[in-house]
Amino acid sequence: MLIYVNDKEINLNENLTIAQLIDSLNLNIKSTAAAVNKEIVPKAKYAEFILKDKDRLDLVTIAPGG
Amino acid sequence: MAIIPNNHMTTNFEDKLKIGKYSFKSRLIVGTGKYPDFVTMQKAIELSGAEIITVAIRRIDFEQKENMLSFIDQDKYTLLPNTAGCFTAEDAVSTIRLSRELGIFKTDLVKLEVIGDPKTLYPDNEELLKAAKILVNEGFTVMPYIIDDPIVAKKLEDIGCPVVMPLASPIGSGLGIRNPYNLKIIKETVSIPVIVDAGVGTASDAAKTMELGVDGILMNTAIAGATDPLNMALAMNYAVKAGRLAFLSGRIPMKLYASASTQMEGIVF
């Protein structure tokens, strides 16, 4: 299936969770927050939230700012 | 309490910045943007003496190899997430809620800015008030960035913000204080702390701002954009302390004519 991660197209296997995707991208789950189709997903749900075809996933963290 | 690092001067009073249920020794809050690299950012923050540092919430850059968090000692600094770049209450509230899901912030302090215009980066008061209400109700300690408007400052106090943060001049402009009288009026209008956020260009601006009697300053560009950010961070550290001490010490009144500092009594010729 195809999903968009931070607007980038990524091809994934079916039934992948947010937690698995974060892990596969070598990101630290502790400093990552996620929204799917602009809906914020609580961190406690990452391990059970299964991504669907054409989902738009935003993965965020802290960045420099004033 | 040591007032200036590497200096023998000390004072014996406790002078803390209180923001809601939190209290801080430093009255300078610094941003983390615009530094050439994270090492410079880290050193500048340290030299500034700040205890609160602002950060943005952004999409992860998969090309970025360094993790910003590894350059910030969270036992030493309080991270303050901001809503920079948000133009609606809805976006600002979503950004803060998303920041909460990060799970890395040790306090509920948030810097709320809702921008109304990209050229001036002036806030949209209507949207700001809307967002502040929602976030205060959700339990956040909301630190709103505002224009130097006493009316909106009072409204935010009434909503439950424990601090207001009026600009001195536009973000990143370095113009210094364009309207010191409004800042004084805001300080008299609200009973919560007033932190001047944005516009400071150099150390004298910071000292003058503190001499007005405001409770603190938040700055980013003035340090990060200086030719030597590390020494400017130290200069700002000194300036904020110097300005605060001068304010507390009570400056002499201005007079048109001279007043001799040497007595005339005992003069020979």
Side-chain angles (χ1 to χ4, degrees), chain B residues 3-250:
Chain B
I3 289 292
I4 294 176
N6 308 318
N7 186 299
H8 298 297
M9 187 175 73
T10 58
T11 61
N12 56 7
F13 66 92
E14 279 282 303
D15 180 39
K16 290 194 171 167
L17 170 64
K18 292 196 173 67
I19 304 169
K21 53 186 179 280
Y22 305 101
S23 95
F24 302 92
K25 282 184 204 152
S26 174
R27 291 178 177 273
L28 175 58
I29 300 172
V30 294
T32 54
K34 298 184 179 173
Y35 284 100
D37 53 70
F38 287 140
V39 173
T40 309
M41 176 201 79
Q42 186 183 43
K43 286 183 183 163
I45 291 169
E46 192 174 352
L47 287 164
S48 76
E51 291 167 284
I52 307 175
I53 58 179
T54 62
V55 295
I57 307 300
R58 290 289 180 270
R59 282 174 167 171
I60 292 171
D61 175 3
F62 298 117
E63 308 301 315
Q64 174 66 260
K65 296 285 175 260
E66 291 176 316
N67 179 359
M68 184 180 171
L69 258 185
S70 62
F71 292 86
I72 299 165
D73 180 355
Q74 279 211 75
D75 291 331
K76 198 169 164 191
Y77 300 106
T78 297
L79 283 183
L80 179 65
N82 72 22
T83 60
C86 292
F87 280 76
T88 64
E90 196 187 343
D91 287 353
V93 168
S94 294
T95 299
I96 292 302
R97 288 175 180 157
L98 195 55
S99 80
R100 184 173 49 191
E101 290 309 320
L102 276 173
I104 59 170
F105 298 107
K106 293 183 175 174
T107 70
D108 52 26
L109 289 163
V110 295
K111 175 183 164 178
L112 176 64
E113 47 184 298
V114 186
I115 302 302
D117 163 47
K119 194 171 180 182
T120 58
L121 294 178
Y122 282 155
D124 181 324
N125 289 342
E126 200 181 341
E127 292 293 303
L128 180 75
L129 287 164
K130 213 191 291 176
K133 253 184 216 169
I134 297 169
L135 292 170
V136 166
N137 284 337
E138 290 184 12
F140 289 101
T141 301
V142 179
M143 303 173 66
Y145 158 70
I146 60 170
I147 198 136
D148 52 356
D149 173 358
I151 312 302
V152 80
K154 186 75 184 90
K155 285 184 179 178
L156 286 159
E157 180 182 27
D158 292 344
I159 283 172
C161 294
V163 62
V164 283
M165 304 205 294
L167 52 75
S169 50
I171 295 172
S173 70
L175 285 172
I177 314 172
R178 291 208 299 197
N179 195 339
Y181 305 102
N182 263 31
L183 293 176
K184 276 192 163 180
I185 293 171
I186 289 174
K187 187 66 194 152
E188 284 181 14
T189 305
V190 298
S191 54
I192 50 177
V194 176
I195 294 175
V196 168
D197 178 1
V200 164
T202 187
S204 54
D205 292 338
K208 276 182 192 158
T209 302
M210 292 308 293
E211 284 171 23
L212 291 174
V214 301
D215 300 274
I217 302 180
L218 193 161
M219 67 174 79
N220 189 155
T221 309
I223 296 174
T227 307
D228 181 344
L230 302 189
N231 275 320
M232 187 58 92
L234 190 57
M236 293 302 188
N237 184 345
Y238 291 162
V240 169
K241 284 169 180 157
R244 177 66 181 171
L245 274 178
F247 167 72
L248 292 173
S249 305

Side-chain angles (χ1 to χ4, degrees), chain A residues 1 12-18 20 47 49-52:
Chain A
M1 66 175 180
L12 295 173
N13 296 327
E14 302 283 328
N15 296 327
L16 200 73
T17 64
I18 294 176
Q20 287 167 331
F49 193 107
I50 294 166
L51 293 160
K52 297 186 305 292

